[in-house]
Amino acid sequence: MAIDCHAHWIPPLLAQALRRRRAAPRIVPTENGERFFTYQGNRPFDARLSDLEARRTFMRGCGVETQVVSLAGLFGVDCLPVEESVPLVRLFNDAVVEAQRESPDAFVGLAALPLADIGLACTELERACSRGLSGAILPADGFRTVTAAERFNPLFEVGERLGAHFFVHPGPVEPLPEVQVRDVRGDDAWQRHIVLETQARLSEVVMTLNFSDYLNPYPSVTVQVANLGGTIPFLLERMDEVTRERPGVPLPSMTRSRCYVDTASFGARAIELAVACFGADRILLGTDCPIFDTARVLKALANARLDADTRERIRFGNARDLFARVT
């Protein structure tokens, strides 16, 4: 059994709406099939991203029993102006509700929210959770600092009342111009953006949510940060050394983790570091399906130097307990 806590989906009705758009995010037909255009560039739009039957077949083949599905912030839907984002995120949320009803063991849903208006985002979170979703996905760019994160206080207040789960995933808080970062090869622009820049941003998220008192007013909220929390596991010893120069400040390594992180970072050594950093009970299996290779992440977990109990907690036990509490 495995529970994949980091997976994405574009429901067919949302895909149809994206085909009608003339600006990113949009789906465009080409001679070689459809392509999905976002502000970062474009990629093939294939069945695994939209077709749930194909997704279920794929999951069975990988040994994944359940996926926690969300609409990736990097697609650029939730940050659009409200007149554009509201109908799109509701298409997604309503489709996930139906997917859960049809396959309650296969899918757990996290809502997409119209980020341009926090009041409307709170309303949509209430609506989505009342229909059976477990929380929402939020953009990493919104948590670069504690001051920036205060914009989301109303959402966390609603989440506290609902006992919601928030998944902080790479993504912007405002629409960005459409560019083709993937095709810029001279300076490894794609590596710099999707690896260095993105993982640094997730590290800032962990600083905001894990090493400050931001989450203290929200004990009933749970938070997951994508990709093993960025570079924090690698930097924790250095963070301790810097903290020793500040008398009275607790060492980061001695701070009880409030955040969960997921394994969508693809390597066994990184998973080992994350377990040492955050604790075995704070690591969730996440594969970033279907953007990245689910089998590779499962292999990395199998190859990590962990005891059998820790490995099984990451594969399914931590997520089982987390989402049983949330739902």
Side-chain angles (χ1 to χ4, degrees), residues 147-171:
T147 300
E150 288 173 354
R151 175 174 182 261
F152 294 93
N153 286 357
L155 269 177
F156 276 77
E157 290 165 8
V158 173
E160 172 67 15
R161 177 161 46 80
L162 299 175
H165 179 69
F166 290 123
F167 178 24
V168 183
H169 183 279

Side-chain angles (χ1 to χ4, degrees), residues 250-294:
L251 296 179
S253 63
M254 302 302 292
T255 302
R256 166 66 176 166
S257 179
R258 279 294 311 274
C259 296
Y260 292 83
V261 298
D262 67 58
T263 61
S265 206
F266 313 112
R269 289 177 296 175
I271 294 172
E272 294 164 11
L273 281 173
V275 170
C277 175
F278 296 105
D281 63 334
R282 284 294 184 266
I283 315 297
L284 303 170
L285 175 67
T287 73
D288 209 350
C289 173
I291 310 303
F292 288 102
D293 187 345
T294 295

Side-chain angles (χ1 to χ4, degrees), residues 12-318:
L13 287 178
L14 177 57
Q16 290 180 22
L18 295 177
R19 292 183 182 101
R20 294 191 292 268
R21 289 180 55 84
R22 294 295 176 263
R26 57 198 175 108
I27 298 172
V28 179
T30 71
E31 293 181 356
N32 300 315
E34 292 184 311
R35 297 194 71 83
F36 183 28
F37 284 74
T38 72
Y39 69 90
Q40 301 182 106
N42 67 84
R43 61 180 299 123
F45 186 80
D46 59 34
R48 285 192 306 159
L49 196 50
S50 186
D51 185 335
L52 270 196
E53 188 53 46
R55 178 70 62 90
R56 282 189 287 261
T57 299
F58 174 78
M59 290 164 59
R60 287 192 293 269
C62 291
V64 173
E65 181 177 33
T66 304
Q67 280 189 345
V68 182
V69 293
S70 57
L71 185 66
L74 289 175
F75 295 163
V77 173
D78 50 7
C79 64
L80 291 170
V82 290
E83 62 272 16
E84 300 177 52
S85 65
V86 169
L88 296 177
V89 300
R90 286 182 176 172
L91 281 175
F92 175 81
N93 296 339
D94 291 345
V96 179
V97 168
E98 292 306 313
Q100 285 189 164
R101 287 176 178 169
E102 293 175 5
S103 303
D105 294 329
F107 299 110
V108 173
L110 297 178
L113 305 175
L115 300 174
D117 186 315
I118 293 300
L120 288 177
C122 289
T123 300
E124 183 60 20
L125 177 62
E126 293 253 22
R127 189 187 78 90
C129 289
S130 73
R131 300 196 66 202
L133 301 193
S134 297
I137 188 169
L138 297 175
D141 286 10
F143 297 88
R144 299 181 65 176
T145 65
V146 172
T147 300
E150 288 173 354
R151 175 174 182 261
F152 294 93
N153 286 357
L155 269 177
F156 276 77
E157 290 165 8
V158 173
E160 172 67 15
R161 177 161 46 80
L162 299 175
H165 179 69
F166 290 123
F167 178 24
V168 183
H169 183 279
V173 293
E174 297 178 349
L176 298 174
E178 183 179 324
V179 295
Q180 182 61 320
V181 181
R182 292 174 183 271
D183 288 346
V184 180
R185 302 184 184 278
D187 195 30
D188 279 332
W190 186 239
Q191 288 275 20
R192 290 176 183 274
H193 170 65
I194 206 64
V195 178
L196 302 184
E197 180 183 331
T198 299
Q199 300 314 110
R201 184 60 43 78
L202 291 170
S203 304
E204 292 175 323
V205 171
V206 174
M207 287 291 295
T208 296
L209 297 179
N210 216 44
F211 301 128
S212 80
D213 59 2
Y214 181 84
L215 289 176
N216 288 356
Y218 315 115
S220 297
V221 166
T222 55
V223 179
Q224 169 189 346
V225 181
N227 302 6
L228 293 178
T231 60
I232 292 294
F234 176 78
L235 297 175
L236 188 64
E237 292 168 319
R238 186 176 184 87
M239 291 170 65
D240 276 357
E241 196 62 30
V242 171
T243 302
R244 288 189 176 95
E245 301 174 359
R246 304 164 62 196
V249 179
L251 296 179
S253 63
M254 302 302 292
T255 302
R256 166 66 176 166
S257 179
R258 279 294 311 274
C259 296
Y260 292 83
V261 298
D262 67 58
T263 61
S265 206
F266 313 112
R269 289 177 296 175
I271 294 172
E272 294 164 11
L273 281 173
V275 170
C277 175
F278 296 105
D281 63 334
R282 284 294 184 266
I283 315 297
L284 303 170
L285 175 67
T287 73
D288 209 350
C289 173
I291 310 303
F292 288 102
D293 187 345
T294 295
R296 187 171 294 133
V297 179
L298 292 170
K299 182 179 180 181
L301 177 58
N303 290 339
R305 292 170 296 183
L306 304 170
D307 61 64
D309 178 67
T310 296
R311 188 174 289 108
E312 290 309 292
R313 288 167 74 178
I314 295 171
R315 279 179 63 88
F316 70 91
N318 292 335

